[in-house]
Amino acid sequence: MDFSKLKGEIFFNNSFINSRKANIHVLNHSLHFASSVFEGIGVYNGKPLFLKEHLIRLKRSSEIMKLSLSYSIKNLEKICRKLVSKNKIRNGYIRPIVFRSSHSMSPETKLCKSQIAIAAWKWGKLFKKRALSLEISKYPKLNKTVYPVDAKSSGGYQTSVIARSNLEGTKFDDCLMLDLKSYIAETSACNIFWIKKNVLYTPTENAILNGVTRRCILKICKLNKIKYKTGNFKLKDIYSADYAFMTGTAAEIQPIKSIRNVKYKINSELVNFLKIKYESIKEISPNLIEDLN
C-alpha cells in the first residue's frame, strides 16, 4: 500500500485536508533527526480502542522528546473520532504524529515549531499468518540507561527497521530483540509473552515500550487470577516455554510457532482465553485500561 496515495482526509495544521495535500518539506527536522513521536490506535466497529490511553502516551512522549503538543487530550479525542467519521472507518487504524518543523538542520531545535498530523485508514491485522517464525536480531534494543524507551518515538524504531530488513528473503517473519545485557526485550514492533506450566511471562519495562495491548493483557490476567511474572529473562527462559505470542495494537494477540530452531505449540488454552477476552473488550471500546473490570 502506498500511503502517500491514501484517500480521505488527514488532520494537519489545525484543519482537515485532502490526504494527498498533507505534505512536509524534505528538509523537515524530524525527517533528518528522528525526533517525532506517534501512536497507533485500532478502530473497531467505528470506535477507537483505548483512545484516551494512547493519547495520554502521545502527550507523555511529546514531553519526553521536548515537543510541544498544544492540544488537550479531550480535543485530540474529538479530532480522532471526527476523522474516523469523515473517512468512514469501520475497522481500521489511527496514526497521530507530532514532529518538528523545518527551522533547523542541526540537533539544535530552539527555532523549530511542533506540528501534529492525524491520519486514519481502513486496515486489518498486521500479520496474516496464524503463527510466526522469529529470528534473533543481531542489533540490541537500547535500554533506559541510554535512550528514553518510554517515548514512542521514530528514533526508537531505527534498529527495528534494520533488523526487519535483514529478514528479507529468509524464512522468518519477524525478529526477537535482546537488550544490551542480552535480556529478552521485544520483537521489532510488538511486546512478547510466553507460557510455561500455565504461568505467563513477559520482560520488564527496562528496554521495551510498555504497550497498551501489553498492559491490557496483564490487566485481563489480574482480573481473572491468571499467574504472570515480569522480569529480566534470557533466551534459555523463552526457549524452554510451551507457548509464545506477541502483542500490539495492529498485531493484537499473535501466536509464535518458532524462534530460530525452537518450536512452540500453537493451540494454547490460555492464549485462546486471552483472545476471547480481548475480542469482548474490542466490542465495548473502553477509553482506558483501568475501566476494565
Side-chain angles (χ1 to χ4, degrees), residues 54-278:
H54 281 283
L55 294 176
I56 288 172
R57 188 171 65 183
L58 182 70
K59 195 92 171 175
R60 177 59 182 150
S61 295
S62 298
E63 292 170 356
I64 292 171
M65 299 300 293
K66 308 301 180 184
L67 289 156
S68 176
L69 182 54
S70 58
Y71 291 87
S72 68
I73 299 296
K74 189 174 182 180
N75 284 338
L76 290 171
E77 285 184 279
K78 288 181 180 178
I79 293 167
C80 288
R81 294 185 192 281
K82 188 173 182 179
L83 190 63
V84 167
S85 177
K86 277 179 168 288
N87 289 343
K88 299 183 170 120
I89 307 295
R90 182 159 181 79
N91 295 298
Y93 193 76
I94 305 171
R95 170 56 60 86
I97 182 167
V98 183
F99 56 97
R100 288 190 168 90
S101 62
S102 302
H103 291 80
S104 172
M105 274 291 103
S106 78
E108 169 61 51
T109 63
K110 185 169 62 176
L111 298 177
C112 287
K113 299 175 183 178
S114 296
Q115 297 176 281
I116 184 171
I118 306 176
W121 60 88
K122 297 175 184 177
W123 209 21
K125 287 184 65 176
L126 181 61
F127 298 103
K128 307 302 179 186
K129 294 183 177 180
R130 183 187 177 195
L132 305 182
S133 296
L134 306 187
E135 171 63 296
I136 308 297
S137 170
K138 70 176 183 179
Y139 295 102
K141 189 78 177 181
L142 301 181
N143 60 31
K144 290 182 177 181
T145 64
V146 292
Y147 192 81
V149 296
D150 292 335
K152 187 176 175 71
S153 67
S154 55
Y157 287 87
Q158 186 182 68
T159 51
S160 296
V161 171
I162 299 171
R164 281 295 296 271
S165 297
N166 286 341
L167 298 181
E168 292 179 12
T170 73
K171 65 179 181 179
F172 300 104
D173 304 297
D174 202 347
C175 56
L176 177 62
M177 305 186 76
L178 309 179
D179 71 7
L180 295 172
K181 295 183 178 180
S182 295
Y183 291 123
I184 296 169
E186 56 191 3
T187 70
S188 64
C190 294
N191 295 123
I192 192 162
F193 292 81
W194 59 94
I195 302 166
K196 185 176 181 180
K197 296 180 180 178
N198 291 319
V199 178
L200 190 67
Y201 294 84
T202 194
T204 189
E205 299 163 27
N206 189 48
I208 68 168
L209 180 73
N210 187 11
V212 173
T213 309
R214 175 186 184 270
R215 300 205 301 270
C216 177
I217 294 301
L218 294 180
K219 183 65 180 286
I220 292 172
C221 290
K222 187 174 182 180
L223 291 173
N224 292 276
K225 296 180 170 55
I226 296 169
K227 189 174 181 180
Y228 68 87
K229 295 181 180 180
T230 61
N232 293 319
F233 302 105
K234 295 283 189 175
L235 276 173
K236 63 181 178 62
D237 297 306
I238 196 169
Y239 280 165
S240 63
D242 302 310
Y243 308 93
F245 64 95
M246 45 204 271
T247 63
T249 295
E252 297 185 1
I253 300 173
Q254 175 66 57
I256 295 168
K257 65 180 179 181
S258 64
I259 300 177
R260 284 198 169 163
N261 295 321
V262 178
K263 299 185 183 302
Y264 301 98
K265 301 173 187 175
I266 301 300
N267 191 22
S268 164
E269 185 175 329
L270 176 52
V271 175
N272 290 336
F273 175 80
L274 293 173
K275 282 185 174 183
I276 291 170
K277 286 294 182 180
Y278 191 72

